[in-house]
Amino acid sequence: MSEQQPPRIGVIGTGAIGGFYGVMLARAGFDVHFLLRSEYAAVSQNGLRINSAVHGELLLPHVQAYSDAAQMPACDWILVGAKTTSNVELAAIINRVAAPGAKVVLLQNGFAVEEQVRPLLDPGLHLLGGLCFIYINRIAPGIIEHQASGAVNLGYHSGPSNAEEGYAIAQQGAAFFQQAGLDSKALQALQQARWQKLVWNIPYNGLSVLLNSNTSQLMAEPHSRALIVELMQEVIAGAAACGYPLSDKLLNGMLKSTEAMPAYLPSMYHDFAQKRPMELLAIYQAPLEAAQAAGCAMPKVRMLWQMLEYVSA
């Protein structure tokens, strides 16, 4: 498509994350196309609905929905909202759906997710990481519960552009989300931002599964709160060892923001409860290996990962 035409956006993985951001962009006037599997019939018939504590009830009644990637038009931007556990299988779908020179944004948690996907993508595609700061879950086919926040930041990872051009691409993508009424910015340092997000994701995701507790319960009990702090400290040390120092204020800021938000069950809790694979490689194993290679052990994080592997098996 020429630069004068509005971009065509494809959403691969229309769960809570893909559904939310896809709906917000579609409501802002973007040409958005959604790939679905098990929920295709429900969404085709009833549309996508977001029950949002921030934006109110949002309905996209007529969804450009597809059950087969071969039926989708070529897309200039592709938002990948599926879990990291399916990244290897998703690469072929991304290549099929992508227009020449398309921008692929992984809206995923964890570490080294771009490194997993990059070798499987066509070399002409631009790859970006998308960090979503949102409290959300899917409660029924085509129905999404949005509790708080919604910001999404983009960082360029790799592709046919240099660093300066890549940052401009990330700015362009962030502008799309801003037009949809969402906080969004381009990132200069994607890997540092991924470590920063792990400071929250590592303790709360795993402990919610092992202790069957939401964020408010974890914060209210002194022993679990102390463990959260210790896990966060280990992640911050691991990030520093890998060359990504984080702000001294980060830990207390995350604790305060978590206390202020509604009781929340993270995505890993829902994956475990619904017997879906948990994202243990991206959220635990990959950062553990990176920190270990840099000479930093994270013993409490490792123990948490080992227990999650046990319950997963």
Side-chain angles (χ1 to χ4, degrees), residues 51-74:
N51 301 323
S52 174
V54 178
H55 306 285
E57 185 176 295
L58 307 176
L59 175 64
L60 186 65
H62 305 295
V63 178
Q64 298 186 104
Y66 307 83
S67 60
D68 184 353
Q71 299 171 350
M72 292 182 70

Side-chain angles (χ1 to χ4, degrees), residues 39-310:
E39 300 189 8
Y40 171 76
V43 171
S44 296
Q45 181 175 351
N46 304 316
L48 281 166
R49 182 183 302 276
I50 301 171
N51 301 323
S52 174
V54 178
H55 306 285
E57 185 176 295
L58 307 176
L59 175 64
L60 186 65
H62 305 295
V63 178
Q64 298 186 104
Y66 307 83
S67 60
D68 184 353
Q71 299 171 350
M72 292 182 70
C75 295
D76 307 292
W77 284 77
I78 298 173
L79 307 182
V80 180
K83 299 284 185 168
T84 58
T85 50
S86 59
N87 273 355
V88 173
E89 293 79 12
L90 287 176
I93 297 174
I94 294 170
N95 289 332
R96 175 182 284 274
V97 172
K103 290 81 174 177
V104 180
V105 184
L106 303 183
L107 299 175
Q108 297 177 327
N109 284 324
F111 185 74
V113 293
E114 292 84 13
E115 285 79 355
Q116 182 188 32
V117 173
R118 178 73 263 180
L120 305 174
L121 294 183
D122 291 341
L125 300 181
H126 302 270
L127 182 61
L128 296 89
L131 281 73
C132 306
F133 300 89
I134 189 168
Y135 305 105
I136 196 166
N137 66 284
R138 180 179 52 194
I139 60 174
I143 303 177
I144 298 164
E145 194 80 17
H146 174 218
Q147 292 179 256
S149 193
V152 54
N153 299 331
L154 306 185
Y156 191 83
H157 179 269
S158 57
S161 292
N162 60 33
E164 182 178 354
E165 295 166 342
Y167 183 66
I169 290 172
Q171 287 180 307
Q172 181 186 12
F176 296 159
F177 290 107
Q178 292 166 8
Q179 290 177 49
L182 300 167
D183 291 334
S184 185
K185 64 181 180 182
L187 301 169
Q188 293 278 11
L190 174 60
Q191 298 305 331
Q192 184 166 16
R194 285 212 169 274
W195 271 109
Q196 179 171 319
K197 199 161 189 289
L198 285 169
V199 175
W200 194 96
N201 274 321
I202 281 179
Y204 290 106
N205 270 285
L207 292 178
S208 72
V209 172
L210 296 175
L211 301 180
N212 191 30
S213 300
N214 62 41
T215 52
S216 295
Q217 292 168 323
L218 292 171
M219 293 298 290
E221 204 283 320
H223 295 89
S224 57
R225 183 189 175 98
L227 181 55
I228 288 167
V229 171
E230 292 162 1
L231 289 164
M232 286 183 169
Q233 289 170 336
E234 285 193 358
V235 179
I236 291 171
C242 291
Y244 303 108
L246 301 176
S247 169
D248 295 337
K249 300 178 181 179
L250 178 64
L251 191 153
N252 286 331
M254 285 191 173
L255 294 176
K256 289 180 181 179
S257 64
T258 305
E259 285 180 319
M261 75 186 200
Y264 179 66
L265 289 167
S267 60
M268 190 169 287
Y269 176 92
H270 295 286
D271 289 338
F272 179 71
Q274 297 175 34
K275 296 181 172 56
R276 297 191 298 253
M278 294 185 287
E279 297 181 287
L280 301 183
L281 171 60
I283 296 180
Y284 294 96
Q285 184 179 341
L288 276 166
E289 290 176 352
Q292 186 70 39
C296 179
M298 298 193 290
K300 289 185 172 63
V301 174
R302 180 169 294 277
M303 183 180 293
L304 180 58
W305 168 60
Q306 289 169 325
M307 289 189 289
L308 290 165
E309 288 284 6
Y310 174 82

